[in-house]
């Protein structure tokens, strides 16, 4: 299976650590990713609020390129938002003839291919769980993360809405209400995954700028739940959640106090660490919430 | 040919067999399980709405009528595997543990019924995660004195009698997400009945029903609904169950109290999911073997819903009961009688 | 207006005048119109609104009511469907747009309503009718975001943040010590890339997308 890799804008910007650590982890486990390097923005939540047709055209252009120019069988993205946009476009193209013909004529107008809404879209977390899985991760551990307590957080669009993610319906997808793929992968590194009931709560990241105080409150609820559960660190698979929970954390702590102060990393950074990769390569110094301190204290870096 | 094959030994098939035998037909009744009574027997239904009549008072005579009739050959643990020929000379292969044999029939009645919807797929309700989230069928067994708890509503986790019970309506019915947009037609009355049974047995236990419409259209159902509110103080809340979680080791449900415009969080000891009806595997299998039409949900489609409700798309093959769509026990018996009359007139 | 000047006696005291202005009627004068329903249906994401059968699954599991009093997706849909535009504006206009797109509602809706997108469409419906009297944060963000997407094809988060603060007149906030040091940290760590990705024929694509947006 030839896999196209669609990092999305965030991974080329603020979530650079997620991009680099994803590539390291994929390579380490023999997953060959071919970067769809001419990608455009998926349109996120803004396109779908602005113009319906446009919200299908943007992701369709990415998928058309992945299929037509890179000839891949599936496209994988580590970003919950991009994952949502791509799946949503495919769902619309398959269920709504008008949406499909709009997209096809758009691609034709701009001299692109004839994408039909049939590219397999995977989230990197889901793909990694299914293609590699906890057992292989366990066997590949060079430096056990034993002693590190992790809160495994998923965000929203990885498992919701099941109308398009097919969680709970499609066999390779995670549970629709209580996702566990990341938990099992992290547990395989030797880390202790704490019981954490905000794992699928919303961080409010979509309104991180528009509605700062509400967004901060939602994020604080998650961060403090993780801390209360005894976690040393919170791991996640989404750059938008990363922005809300990590980059915004100093502001959140200012309002909500130290209960909301906890280091935040991408799950791929922790898996990379267990594989024996360096903190530098994994960009563990990137997060504003300073994971290095706790990792040092546990003797992991 | 005065021989008829009846497929399915639930109430519909039993009633049809008995009526046909009474009219002088030789009936072969094929049942895949090793007992008669279908879902009613399988899940040990205890009482029937709206009269709170013991199921045994209804089911036992229906079974006895069949077992004691020399015109009926009951073939348990049997299934059909192939059909050839046309009306009025069908050749059907019937398989059991001993082997396969072909028999000839003048007509076929399909009464393969329904199966309870499996709520595992509604992951937000935590059916397979939380022991004390149970289905309405499981509650029938719990309330039955011949059931596993000898009629006590002991909750599965610790065997305690719940003090607060919530019932979620429309689980797997009126739900596009699971592909069942239709109404199950029995959930409302069964839940009301179970609420009353629980209150009768345990007056200190509170029962809360979360519903979006109470569809009490059957004989005496509306009156039963009134009784549940007036005499038993069952609390009906208009709002569909949204999710079930565990809070401080206790089940906690969320729903909207739509009349108050407020979402509510409610801690309870047990949650009963009013799981609806889905076409059974037997129905889907029979449709395939017999080559008869199904509707979009898998139920058997009558030749004409109004004018020939008990005829399948194929001449000589008749359909009746809950394999045509969700149905209650009372009306399954009506269907059994109706289909027998139709078969008789067609074989005359 | 004759009924407004009716006489009214309370505790033996006769009140004369336009008393209903002081005592709002308990009766909701229902004048149902589907005008607004039709309008929302046509907005992006609004097409599934009429599927709703008001079961409350959305609000029951919604993230927001715990934090935003009276936030109620089912209620918003009901008001639009029944044409209670005045109530929507007076009581809910500052709530609807607060949806954080967690998608629990769409995820669980048994009727196939894309609730999250419908709520967004209702917010847009209010914005389009200019009930806020100013550019909302949501509108400002969407505009900046789409503008950036159409211009460069990709998003530069730092630029978005800067433009957003500038457009909403809060550039000052951004220049606060915290924000600046954050920006500096990210810049020096190489996380802010000043790039333009090479997208085949982006100009042409962008032109076509802009036509769509108009």
């Amino acid at each position: 299976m030839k896999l196209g890799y669609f990092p999305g804008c965030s991974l080329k910007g603020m979530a650079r650590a997620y991009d680099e650590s994803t590539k390291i982890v994929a390579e380490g486990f023999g997953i060959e990713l071919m970067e769809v390097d001419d990608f455009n923005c998926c349109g996120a939540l803004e396109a779908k609020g602005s113009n319906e047709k446009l919200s299908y055209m943007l992701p369709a252009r990415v998928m058309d390129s992945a299929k037509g120019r890179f000839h891949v069988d599936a496209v994988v993205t580590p970003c919950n938002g991009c994952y949502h946009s791509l799946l949503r476009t495919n769902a619309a193209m398959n269920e709504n003839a008008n949406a499909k013909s709009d997209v096809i004529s758009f691609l034709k107008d701009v001299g692109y291919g004839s994408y039909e809404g049939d590219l397999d879209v995977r989230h990197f977390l889901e793909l990694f769980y299914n293609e590699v899985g906890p057992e292989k991760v366990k066997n590949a551990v060079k430096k056990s993360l034993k002693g590190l307590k992790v809160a495994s957080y998923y965000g929203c669009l990885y498992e919701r809405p099941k109308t398009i993610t097919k969680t709970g319906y499609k066999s390779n997808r995670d549970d629709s209400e209580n996702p566990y793929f990341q938990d099992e992968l992290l547990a395989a590194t030797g880390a202790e995954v704490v019981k954490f009931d905000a794992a699928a709560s919303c961080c409010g990241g979509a309104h991180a700028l528009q509605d700062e105080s509400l967004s901060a409150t939602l994020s604080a609820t998650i961060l403090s739940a993780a801390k209360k559960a005894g976690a040393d660190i919170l791991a996640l698979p989404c750059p938008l959640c990363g922005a809300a929970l990590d980059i915004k954390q100093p502001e959140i702590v200012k309002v909500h106090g130290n209960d909301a102060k906890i280091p935040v990393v991408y799950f791929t950074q922790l898996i990379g660490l267990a594989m024996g990769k360096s903190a530098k390569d994994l960009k563990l110094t990137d997060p504003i919430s300073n994971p290095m301190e706790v990792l040092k204290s546990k003797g992991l870096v | 040919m005065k021989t008829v094959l009846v497929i399915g030994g639930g109430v519909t098939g039993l009633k049809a067999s008995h009526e046909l035998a009474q009219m002088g037909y030789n009936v072969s009744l094929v049942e895949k399980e090793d007992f008669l009574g279908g879902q009613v027997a399988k899940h040990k239904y205890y009482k029937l709405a709206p009269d709170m009549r013991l199921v045994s008072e209804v089911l036992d005579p229906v079974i006895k009528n069949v077992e004691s009739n020399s015109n009926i050959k009951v073939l348990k643990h049997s299934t059909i595997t192939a059909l050839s020929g046309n009306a009025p000379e069908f050749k059907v292969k019937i398989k059991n543990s001993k082997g396969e044999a072909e028999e000839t029939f003048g007509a076929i009645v399909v009464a393969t019924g329904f199966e309870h919807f499996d709520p595992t797929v509604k992951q937000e309700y935590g059916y397979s995660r939380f022991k004390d989230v149970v289905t309405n069928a499981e509650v029938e067994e719990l309330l039955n004195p011949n059931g596993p708890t000898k009629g006590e509503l002991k909750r599965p986790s610790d065997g305690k009698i719940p003090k607060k019970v919530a019932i979620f309506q429309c689980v797997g019915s009126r739900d596009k997400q699971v592909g069942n947009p239709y109404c199950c037609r029995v959930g409302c009355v069964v839940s009301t009945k179970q609420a009353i049974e629980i209150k009768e047995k345990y007056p200190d236990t509170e029962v809360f029903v979360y519903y979006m419409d109470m569809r009490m259209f059957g004989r005496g159902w509306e009156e039963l609904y009134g009784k549940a509110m007036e005499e038993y103080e069952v609390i009906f809340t208009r709002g569909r169950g949204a999710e079930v979680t565990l809070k401080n080791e206790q089940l906690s449900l969320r729903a909207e109290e739509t009349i108050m415009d407020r979402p509510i969080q409610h801690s309870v000891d047990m949650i009963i999911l009013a799981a609806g009806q889905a076409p059974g595997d037997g129905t889907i299998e029979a449709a395939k073997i017999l080559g008869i039409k199904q509707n979009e949900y898998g139920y058997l489609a009558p030749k004409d819903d109004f004018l020939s409700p008990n005829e399948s798309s194929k001449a000589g093959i008749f359909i009746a009961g809950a394999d045509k769509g969700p149905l209650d026990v009372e009306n399954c018996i009506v269907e059994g009688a109706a289909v027998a009359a139709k078969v008789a007139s067609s074989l005359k | 207006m004759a009924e407004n000047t009716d006489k009214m006696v309370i505790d033996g005291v006769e009140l004369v005048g336009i008393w209903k202005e002081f005592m709002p009627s308990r009766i909701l004068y229902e004048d149902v119109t589907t005008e607004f329903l039709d309008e929302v249906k046509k907005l992006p994401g609004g097409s599934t609104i009429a599927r709703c059968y008001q079961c409350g699954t959305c609000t029951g599991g919604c993230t927001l009511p715990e934090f935003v009093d009276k936030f109620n997706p089912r209620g918003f849909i009901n008001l639009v469907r029944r044409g209670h535009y005045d109530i929507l504006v007076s009581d809910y206009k500052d709530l609807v747009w607060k949806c954080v797109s967690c998608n629990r509602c769409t995820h669980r809706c048994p009727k196939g309503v894309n609730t999250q997108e419908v709520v967004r469409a209702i917010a847009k419906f209010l914005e389009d009718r200019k009930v806020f009297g100013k550019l909302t944060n949501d509108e400002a963000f969407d505009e900046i975001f789409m503008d950036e997407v159409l211009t460069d094809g990709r998003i530069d988060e730092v630029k978005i943040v800067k433009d957003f603060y500038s457009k909403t007149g809060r550039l000052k906030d951004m220049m606060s010590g915290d924000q600046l040091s954050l920006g500096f940290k990210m810049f020096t760590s190489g996380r802010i890339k000043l790039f333009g990705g090479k997208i085949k024929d982006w100009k042409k694509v962008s032109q076509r997308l802009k036509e769509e947006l108009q």
Side-chain angles (χ1 to χ4, degrees):
Chain A
M1 189 168 61
K2 210 166 154 189
L3 286 173
Y5 174 62
F6 172 37
C9 305
S10 279
L11 273 77
K12 294 296 172 190
M14 290 191 186
R16 179 186 65 167
Y18 195 16
D19 185 36
E20 311 253 325
S21 56
T22 297
K23 285 176 183 164
I24 290 172
V25 168
E27 202 194 322
F29 287 94
I31 301 176
E32 213 174 304
L33 297 178
M34 181 186 290
E35 187 158 330
V36 181
D37 63 4
D38 78 332
F39 72 86
N40 56 269
C41 168
C42 72
L45 295 168
E46 286 66 31
K48 73 178 192 180
S50 304
N51 183 298
E52 193 133 358
K53 288 184 195 172
L54 196 102
S55 72
Y56 302 135
M57 291 170 179
L58 288 164
R61 202 215 66 88
V62 175
M63 291 188 276
D64 184 68
S65 173
K67 220 180 159 193
R69 296 183 60 209
F70 294 84
H71 309 288
V72 300
D73 305 308
V75 64
V76 55
T77 173
C79 169
N80 288 8
C82 298
Y83 180 59
H84 174 79
S85 300
L86 265 51
L87 284 176
R88 179 177 169 275
T89 298
N90 280 352
M93 289 181 77
N94 289 314
E95 288 157 20
N96 177 345
N98 289 337
K100 189 170 178 175
S101 67
D102 286 341
V103 168
I104 290 173
S105 72
F106 152 75
L107 292 169
K108 203 174 149 209
D109 289 353
V110 296
Y112 274 68
S114 53
Y115 181 64
E116 298 216 322
D118 52 352
L119 187 60
D120 190 14
V121 176
R122 314 282 297 265
H123 190 289
F124 183 72
L125 171 55
E126 174 264 297
L127 179 104
F128 188 65
Y129 181 86
N130 284 298
E131 305 298 322
V132 176
E135 212 41 50
K136 280 188 194 158
V137 171
K138 210 171 183 174
N139 295 333
V141 170
K142 288 219 176 83
K143 187 186 339 176
S144 169
L145 303 189
K146 198 159 184 288
L148 186 69
K149 291 184 179 175
V150 187
S152 168
Y153 174 74
Y154 294 83
C156 299
L157 302 177
Y158 163 72
E159 74 278 6
R160 290 191 291 266
K162 63 186 164 198
T163 41
I164 63 168
T165 57
K166 304 295 173 203
T167 42
Y169 292 101
K170 223 169 151 178
S171 62
N172 63 3
R173 299 289 206 248
D174 214 327
D175 188 286
S176 70
E177 297 286 334
N178 293 279
Y180 62 92
F181 285 5
Q182 187 180 245
D183 291 43
E184 290 190 0
L185 291 167
L186 291 169
T189 65
E192 183 192 335
V193 178
V194 300
K195 207 170 164 276
F196 169 50
D197 61 10
S201 296
C202 179
C203 71
H207 273 169
L209 292 174
Q210 301 95 310
D211 197 357
E212 279 165 308
S213 102
L214 177 61
S215 174
T217 304
L218 293 176
S219 292
T221 307
I222 292 158
L223 294 167
S224 38
K227 200 158 180 180
K228 207 174 155 201
D232 302 314
I233 200 163
L234 181 142
L236 44 72
C238 171
L240 188 58
C241 304
L245 298 176
D246 173 52
I247 298 175
K248 284 279 200 177
Q249 201 178 111
E251 289 172 54
I252 295 166
V253 169
K254 227 186 229 173
V255 179
H256 296 274
N258 276 334
D259 284 352
K261 193 167 157 58
I262 182 171
V264 174
V265 292
Y266 296 103
F267 81 102
T268 43
Q269 289 177 290
L270 291 185
I271 290 173
L273 198 60
M275 289 159 66
K277 303 293 175 188
S278 77
K280 187 168 171 272
D281 289 349
L282 293 164
K283 300 273 182 287
L284 276 161
T285 49
D286 267 13
I288 306 295
S289 55
N290 192 15
M292 287 300 279
E293 193 181 320
V294 67
L295 294 175
K296 267 182 204 157
S297 76
K298 303 268 173 190
L300 296 169
V301 293
Chain B
M1 289 280 300
K2 297 211 74 172
T3 55
V4 180
L5 170 67
V6 175
I7 308 167
V11 280
T12 309
L14 290 167
K15 180 69 178 171
S17 300
H18 179 235
E19 293 294 330
L20 284 163
Q22 292 280 79
M23 290 184 265
Y25 292 91
N26 287 315
V27 177
S28 289
L29 174 61
V30 169
E31 167 56 49
K32 67 176 173 178
E33 304 286 354
D34 59 359
F35 56 85
L36 294 175
Q39 296 291 331
V40 178
K42 187 176 178 183
H43 292 285
K44 296 196 167 64
Y45 288 10
Y46 178 39
K47 283 180 177 174
L48 293 173
D51 325 282
M52 297 302 191
R53 210 161 150 191
L54 290 173
V55 166
S56 54
E57 285 178 28
V58 173
L59 189 61
D60 291 357
V62 175
I63 292 177
K64 200 164 160 261
N65 283 341
V66 166
E67 286 182 330
S68 61
N69 195 307
S70 57
N71 283 350
I72 305 172
K73 193 164 72 178
V74 176
L75 306 163
K76 290 181 195 167
H77 244 139
S78 303
T79 51
I80 59 156
T81 55
L83 169 81
S84 56
N86 290 303
E89 233 180 277
F90 291 109
K91 293 191 183 349
V92 182
K93 279 189 181 154
I94 299 169
K95 198 179 96 180
N96 64 14
S97 54
K98 285 178 206 125
E100 206 172 50
E102 190 175 85
E103 286 188 49
T104 308
F105 300 99
I108 299 171
V109 171
V110 190
T112 42
F114 76 101
E115 267 166 34
H116 290 274
F117 172 78
D118 176 1
T120 310
V121 69
K122 298 288 295 173
Q123 288 170 327
E124 56 267 50
Y125 293 164
Y127 174 62
S128 46
R129 261 182 308 131
F130 307 130
K131 282 185 181 162
D132 296 332
V133 176
V134 299
T135 67
N136 48 0
E138 287 161 1
V139 167
E140 286 296 320
E141 289 190 47
L142 291 177
L143 291 172
N144 192 323
N146 298 319
T149 54
K150 302 201 163 22
E152 298 292 334
L153 188 73
K154 289 181 179 169
R155 63 176 195 174
S157 66
D158 56 8
K160 283 188 186 146
I161 306 299
K163 288 275 171 218
K164 289 180 178 193
V165 177
I167 307 182
F168 278 8
Q169 293 308 106
C170 299
V171 177
S173 325
R174 303 182 70 191
D175 186 346
K176 273 194 182 175
Q177 297 258 12
V178 300
N180 295 346
Y182 54 83
C183 168
C184 82
R185 300 175 64 97
V186 295
C188 289
V189 72
V190 168
S191 294
T192 304
K193 175 195 77 103
Q194 291 184 344
I196 290 175
E197 287 177 270
I198 293 168
K199 289 295 289 189
E200 221 156 42
K201 203 168 164 71
Y202 310 105
D204 291 341
T205 294
E206 290 176 282
V207 184
F208 309 89
V209 179
Y210 286 86
Y211 72 96
M212 54 178 192
D213 300 292
M214 290 302 285
R215 297 187 158 172
M216 294 302 202
F217 52 83
R219 174 188 63 85
W221 294 7
E222 181 61 28
E223 293 90 321
L224 192 73
Y225 181 32
K227 198 166 149 183
M229 283 190 270
E230 294 163 34
E231 290 176 34
Y232 295 95
E233 296 181 339
V234 175
I235 306 293
F236 290 87
T237 303
R238 196 200 171 281
R240 193 160 171 159
E243 66 178 34
V244 179
T245 51
L246 217 51
K247 284 236 171 4
N248 306 322
E249 304 300 307
Q250 196 176 17
L251 289 176
S252 176
L253 69 88
R254 284 187 62 171
E256 188 197 355
E257 217 293 27
T258 59
I259 293 164
M260 303 267 285
D261 264 353
R262 304 297 285 187
I264 46 180
Q265 180 119 29
H266 186 182
S267 293
V268 293
D269 305 319
M270 186 182 204
I271 293 176
I272 302 170
L273 304 178
Q277 300 190 3
D281 290 345
T283 294
I284 291 161
E285 188 70 8
K288 209 161 63 187
I289 293 166
L290 303 174
I292 54 177
K293 270 195 192 136
Q294 293 166 270
N295 70 14
E296 57 189 310
Y297 313 123
Y299 289 109
L300 305 180
K303 190 172 141 198
D304 184 310
D305 285 286
F306 285 85
L307 303 175
S308 24
N310 290 108
E311 291 168 59
S312 76
S313 57
K314 211 172 194 172
I317 300 182
F318 301 84
I319 55 179
D323 54 11
K324 288 160 57 190
L327 209 60
D328 59 301
V329 172
E330 193 174 332
N331 281 298
C332 278
I333 292 177
V334 174
E335 279 274 303
V339 80
K342 189 67 208 170
V343 171
S345 73
S346 81
L347 284 183
K348 203 163 53 178
Chain C
M1 298 304 273
E3 61 172 347
N4 272 353
T5 53
D6 284 353
K7 278 186 186 173
M8 187 188 187
V9 179
I10 293 177
D11 291 342
V13 180
E14 193 179 295
L15 303 174
V16 185
I18 307 174
W19 53 269
K20 277 189 181 168
E21 295 203 353
F22 300 100
M23 301 188 66
S25 172
R26 298 280 299 150
I27 299 169
L28 181 65
Y29 287 94
E30 184 96 347
D31 184 13
V32 173
T33 163
T34 53
E35 179 190 341
F36 306 110
L37 180 68
D38 294 339
E39 213 171 301
V40 171
K41 253 190 206 171
K42 288 184 196 118
L43 290 170
S47 62
T48 58
I49 185 171
R51 291 185 190 172
C52 176
Y53 53 17
Q54 295 285 307
C55 70
T57 304
C58 48
T59 303
C62 180
T63 297
L64 286 196
E66 202 180 327
F67 307 97
V68 180
D69 195 29
K70 293 189 176 164
F71 188 90
N72 188 330
R74 179 200 54 77
F76 304 155
I77 292 174
N78 191 36
L79 290 172
V80 170
R81 168 178 280 160
R82 303 175 75 87
H84 288 308
Y85 177 74
D86 293 344
I87 300 175
L88 191 65
V89 172
S90 62
D91 296 0
Y92 299 100
K93 78 166 193 289
D94 294 322
L95 305 184
V96 184
W97 71 275
K98 283 186 170 278
C99 165
V100 286
S101 306
C102 78
N103 269 285
R104 271 216 170 79
C105 47
T106 304
H107 186 59
R108 293 174 179 162
C109 176
K111 200 64 172 21
V113 179
N114 192 332
T115 323
Q116 180 265 322
E117 295 191 19
V118 165
V119 169
R120 182 73 194 84
I122 298 173
K124 194 167 167 54
F125 161 76
L126 291 171
E127 286 164 3
D128 288 354
R129 291 185 155 245
K130 310 278 176 225
V131 302
F132 297 98
K134 60 165 190 175
L135 189 73
T136 65
N137 281 358
D138 236 17
E139 285 174 292
F141 192 83
D142 283 3
E143 276 175 26
I144 289 162
F145 193 98
M146 291 316 291
D147 190 53
E148 170 113 5
V149 172
L150 296 188
T151 309
D152 295 337
R154 291 187 198 172
I155 291 302
D156 175 345
E157 293 142 317
V158 176
K159 188 166 176 295
I160 293 262
V161 173
K162 193 185 92 249
D163 290 351
F164 177 76
Y165 280 128
S166 155
K167 192 159 191 162
T168 51
R170 295 191 302 150
L171 209 52
K172 206 168 74 246
D173 293 351
M174 200 196 161
M175 293 303 170
S176 69
D178 281 353
Q179 293 285 349
L180 276 183
S181 62
L182 191 68
F184 184 72
K185 188 178 174 195
M186 291 199 288
F187 193 78
T188 49
S189 67
R191 290 165 75 183
I192 297 167
K193 274 192 200 155
L194 306 168
F195 79 102
K198 272 190 190 152
I199 306 169
K200 184 192 161 222
D201 294 335
W202 182 252
K203 255 194 167 156
K204 207 167 156 188
V205 174
S206 165
Q207 194 50 44
R208 175 69 176 75
L209 293 173
K210 276 178 189 155
E211 282 165 26
E212 202 58 60
L213 204 51
Q214 265 141 33

